[in-house]
Amino acid sequence: MGFGVKTNTEYGSRTFVYEVKGLCQTEATDKLNNPIRNSGTVYITVPYTSMNQEMRRISRMGGKIISIKTLGEHPEAQAETTNTGEQTKSMTQAKPHIDKKDVPVNTYRPKNPFMGKCLSNEELVREGGDGTVRHLKFDLSGSDLKYLEGQSIGIIPPGTDAKGKPHKLRLYSIASTRHGDDLNDQTVSLCVRRLEYNHPETGERIYGVCSSYLCALEEGADVAITGPVGKEMLLPNDEDATIIMIATGTGIAPFRAFIWRMFKEREQNPDYQFKGLAWLFFGCPYTPNILYYEELEELQRQFPDNFRVTYAISREQKNKDGGKMYIQHRIQEEAEELWKEIQKPSTHTYICGLKGMEGGIDEGMSAVTSQFDVNWDEYRKQLKKEDRWHVETY
């Protein structure tokens, strides 16, 4: 943070003291318990979880932070600390996370799914790309199914498996906001890649049951939907947060929902006007495989100070060693800046995509945090404990 404070895994529950000069005498500063001293200095206690928000508030009030120390390191401040009147609160309260008790879960279960209809089924991979990925929109009219960004729904393909039993549901991350692509709260969208591979023994081409069913679904067709499920990937309510999103392939689905909510639905969300930084890392084999490419590029143009995309295109780009450019190499390239962002108490990091991608991300982050005598594995565990490190891989 630039003030000599080392961040470590113990800080989550600690209190810090900001030594601030230059605060203007305003209605806001008049409410402080202790007056601004003749020297122009005031001390403000700040819990770790509100440090970033407090910095912005101080800046808006014309102040300059001279130092940041732990409460124990600042004996003078212990004697005359300024706060808002309650020991457990700072001048600026961080906006609370979503109360997970209020998150809708399992409105519809496999034994009694909701029968929706396919409204549209569009190809996302452009000419020259690899495979097929479809954006599907389903009608939820007449249902009680409500969901939040970051959740998933289940799809039950018709027919039976090799044993003659009904197919089990498959979970897919939701690619739309709670308002749906039509902004009428009556639809839900998915981003689905058709699974296909060669059988390791016979060489036979194998196609995924549910993904093939969905990718071939015609408009107007019925589809059995369950859910929603999931509380791991929820977007915080903080409008000033930094949101780091790391995705491969269809792992972009929940992040499309995040990005649409942040930047495309301001009229629909008067109580959520995102002003922070959203940074998407996206990995794919070819440029035509960049899903939602036109929309991502347009939003970067519209919100250059708030939205950033970094691509890792493995078959077209080279890493510093001359090999293929995978997402872990982009993370390693940006690790120092990412580390600065991740230390902020209002930063949330999300990872979604193929299982195993976490290893490369950890490798890149560990290389830079070791320069600050910080054990990345321990620090990541602390982020997870603070509900600021979110992983959903498959």
Side-chain angles (χ1 to χ4, degrees), residues 312-331:
I313 306 174
S314 62
R315 309 285 177 85
E316 298 177 2
Q317 299 172 335
K318 301 292 184 181
N319 62 39
K320 62 181 179 63
D321 298 320
K324 293 180 179 179
M325 175 64 77
Y326 293 111
I327 200 163
Q328 60 263 34
H329 299 122
R330 289 297 189 205
I331 296 298

Side-chain angles (χ1 to χ4, degrees), residues 81-92:
T81 298
T82 299
N83 60 30
T84 57
E86 296 183 60
Q87 292 297 324
T88 58
K89 293 184 179 180
S90 65
M91 281 172 58
T92 304

Side-chain angles (χ1 to χ4, degrees), residues 284-351:
C284 62
Y286 301 102
T287 297
N289 285 94
I290 299 175
L291 307 179
Y292 307 107
Y293 177 74
E294 291 82 3
E295 292 90 340
L296 294 175
E297 291 297 301
E298 178 60 27
L299 288 175
Q300 281 192 99
R301 288 190 289 269
Q302 291 180 7
F303 302 93
D305 298 329
N306 304 96
F307 183 45
R308 179 175 176 183
V309 181
T310 300
Y311 299 115
I313 306 174
S314 62
R315 309 285 177 85
E316 298 177 2
Q317 299 172 335
K318 301 292 184 181
N319 62 39
K320 62 181 179 63
D321 298 320
K324 293 180 179 179
M325 175 64 77
Y326 293 111
I327 200 163
Q328 60 263 34
H329 299 122
R330 289 297 189 205
I331 296 298
Q332 291 165 11
E333 288 179 356
E334 303 287 355
E336 190 167 345
E337 185 172 354
L338 282 170
W339 173 234
K340 292 178 182 177
E341 294 293 338
I342 287 172
Q343 290 180 84
K344 298 176 181 178
S346 61
T347 295
H348 286 252
T349 302
Y350 298 82
I351 300 171

Side-chain angles (χ1 to χ4, degrees), residues 123-125 130-134 192-196 215 289:
E123 179 61 56
L124 292 174
V125 178
D130 179 60
T132 182
V133 180
R134 312 291 292 191
V192 179
R193 179 182 180 87
R194 185 175 66 180
L195 174 65
E196 48 184 294
C215 287
N289 285 94

Side-chain angles (χ1 to χ4, degrees), residues 52 56 236 238 240-244 274 276-279 341-342 344 346-350:
N52 197 44
R56 285 192 286 267
D238 187 358
D240 298 307
T242 296
I243 305 298
I244 298 169
F274 185 75
L277 171 66
W279 189 356
E341 294 293 338
I342 287 172
K344 298 176 181 178
S346 61
T347 295
H348 286 252
T349 302
Y350 298 82

